[in-house]
Structures are given as C-alpha cells and as structure tokens.
Amino acid sequence: MSNVEPSPAELRCADRAPRAADDRPAVEILTPRDVPLGGPRAITVRRTLPQRSRSLIGAWCFVDHFGPTDVAVSGGMDVPPHPHTGLQTVSWLFSGEVEHRDSTGVHALVRPGELNLMTGGHGVCHSEVSTGATTVLHGVQLWVALPDAHRGAPRDFRSHVPEPLDHRGATVRVFLGELCGSRSPVPTFSRLLGAELLLPPGAELSLEVDPEFEHGVLVDTGGVDVAGEPVAAAEMAYVAPGAEQLALANSSREPARLILLGGPPFGEEIVMWWNFVARSHEEVVEARTQWEAESERFGAVTGYTGRTRRLPAPQLPGLPLRPRGSAR
C-alpha cells in the first residue's frame, strides 16, 4: 500500500490526553485522519499511525484501516507498482480479496484471516488490486520499520493462515509474535505482536502481555474499553510499557473486532516519507531518485494491467526531513 498523503512529511493528529485510574495503565487515544489510497479516485483509508505526537508503537510505524467499502461504489483498490525501502508490509483483510504482485516474482491473493508479509529492506516494489470476486473491501495495512542492522535485508514474501484460538470466549488469531499461548511461525527482525481479536457483546477479557512491550489496540467494530478507557470504532488506544495485563471489554451490543499490535520501544529514530523508511533526508532523496530512474534496486512488477504503469514519487518538501522516534 502506498502512502499518498498530499504532504507525507507533515503528520497531523487529534489525540485525547492519556488518563490513568487506580492502578490501571494510562491510555492515549489516537484518532484517525482520512487519506486517499493510490490517488484521489481510489478508496479512502483511515490512518492512525504515524501521528505528529507518536511515530511508532514498537517497530510498527504505519497503520491504515479501510472499509467496509462497497467496491461497486468506490471502484475498489487499484494501487499501481510502487516502491518500499527499510520496512515490511503486513496485509490483513476482514473481507474481500486483493491481488498482490511484487518484484520478488510473487503473485498472491490476499484473503481474510491470512497474513501476507513482504520485506522491502534494500528495495522492493509491488502492486495491489482488489479482485472481481470482491464486493466489500475491509481490512488493515500495516508497516514494520526494520532495525538498522537489517535495513538492507533482501526482498522476501511470506504467507501464513493462523488457526483461530478460543480464549475465554474471545476468538484470537495471532499473525505475528505470541499471545495466549499461540505463536506465529513467521520470523521477524524485531520482537513484535500482531493479532486479531473478536469479542462477543458484553465480553470482558484480561490478556497477559509482555511488560516490555508498548501496545496499540485498533478498534474495527464495536465500542471497546481498553484499561477502562472507552475507545470508539476506528480509534487506536496506546498503552505504554509496564503493563502485565491488558483489560479489554466490549461495551456494545454487537461483536467487537480489534487489532492488537505490540513490541518493545523501537529505540531508533527514523525518517519516514512516502513509501520509504530511512535514517536521513539524504537516504530518502537517493531512494526517490532511484525509483524515478527505474533503478534495479526495486526490480519490476510483471503482470499488472491497471490504470498506470507505475506510481510516480511525489515532490519532496522544501525543508529537510527530520528524524522521528518512538515518542514523537
């Protein structure tokens, strides 16, 4: 998925201040902003990360939440070939089907409940198109920043279908890391947690979590309390490291679906612009120049027949891009 905000170096936010009660952890609420995906004629996504006040949760550096979208109205997803560096993309659908093609030579279908993880360390490019079988498109697209020691990792693609686990009445699917005794076999370059949770109406759940992790809880459907703080649909709750238990409660009359993300604070500053995660303004300039020159650094996508051959890079801002860390 391509980061196509009009000014991708400028990050906006509208957060509610964290609040603690008793011995419960403080919760910070991150509210989304609407961003067109792949251009002004494509679907709109809700972006909760990055924010001006918070760039990362663990190594998670980008959270887009989209749908449910009637593709007969929206036209569906059609993102032409575009580049990535210094990151991994994580695709997770609730409904619909997306055709993925990348410069590793992979041609795959992204389906609900199936993890698709692409590594674009040194450089990769890919396209994403919803298929003709899709009537409603709904899911999340996530990015993971690669630590400095692995930023040059070669292109790679992994797929995994996690088994649903019943945990105290909730359904849990762990697609990365470990939770509730379930571990994903997909390797990562830093310690991560990624899981989908389904809570019945009125359900209350206390999860044992790693106290070294900071966590983000994205609410897809339903009204959920996270550590006693109400979180509306499309919002994300942030919980700092230190908590050994994470209390979740579905206060709505419908099932609640959540995406739980986590990891230790990243500990490195990043420069994130367009589809590149780098460490300096100069690295971003170099990557942009190489993409525009159709460098072999990114390879090429074969078989894409969409509306344009490849996505051009936007213009860089007039001022140097600044590094951002975990707390800003």
Side-chain angles (χ1 to χ4, degrees), residues 115-139:
L115 168 72
N116 283 264
L117 182 146
M118 182 184 69
T119 300
H122 180 65
V124 72
C125 63
H126 71 139
S127 63
E128 298 160 291
V129 181
S130 52
T131 69
T134 300
T135 56
V136 175
L137 192 61
H138 189 190

Side-chain angles (χ1 to χ4, degrees), residues 34-214:
D34 290 343
V35 179
L37 171 63
R41 296 179 60 190
I43 67 173
T44 296
V45 302
R46 297 174 292 276
R47 185 160 296 161
T48 49
L49 203 68
Q51 304 264 354
R52 186 180 296 276
S53 63
R54 184 162 304 283
S55 298
L56 300 107
I57 297 176
W60 300 100
C61 63
F62 184 91
V63 176
D64 270 2
H65 177 212
F66 53 91
T69 300
D70 183 346
V71 300
V73 176
S74 69
M77 180 185 294
D78 183 357
V79 185
H82 57 279
H84 290 291
T85 63
L87 58 85
Q88 292 177 299
T89 65
V90 176
S91 300
W92 185 261
L93 291 180
F94 307 132
S95 66
E97 186 178 67
V98 173
E99 181 182 53
H100 165 100
R101 296 177 184 269
D102 66 39
S103 55
T104 70
V106 167
H107 176 208
L109 292 176
V110 184
R111 299 185 176 95
E114 178 177 327
L115 168 72
N116 283 264
L117 182 146
M118 182 184 69
T119 300
H122 180 65
V124 72
C125 63
H126 71 139
S127 63
E128 298 160 291
V129 181
S130 52
T131 69
T134 300
T135 56
V136 175
L137 192 61
H138 189 190
V140 293
Q141 177 78 22
L142 316 168
W143 292 358
V144 177
L146 293 176
D148 190 64
H150 300 287
R151 288 197 297 129
R155 304 167 194 159
D156 191 27
F157 182 87
R158 303 290 179 102
S159 182
H160 171 58
V161 181
E163 288 291 331
L165 166 71
D166 181 84
H167 183 72
R168 300 171 187 170
T171 302
V172 180
R173 290 177 172 86
V174 181
F175 51 83
L176 286 175
E178 183 176 10
L179 184 70
C180 302
S182 177
R183 175 182 289 274
S184 169
V186 179
T188 57
F189 293 96
S190 56
R191 295 167 62 203
L192 289 174
L193 170 62
E196 177 191 288
L197 287 77
L198 296 174
L199 276 64
E204 296 184 1
L205 184 66
S206 181
L207 292 175
E208 293 183 7
V209 294
D210 191 327
E212 294 184 3
F213 281 24
E214 51 188 354

Side-chain angles (χ1 to χ4, degrees), residues 236-249:
M236 175 179 277
Y238 168 81
V239 180
E244 297 183 351
Q245 301 282 331
L246 186 61
L248 306 173

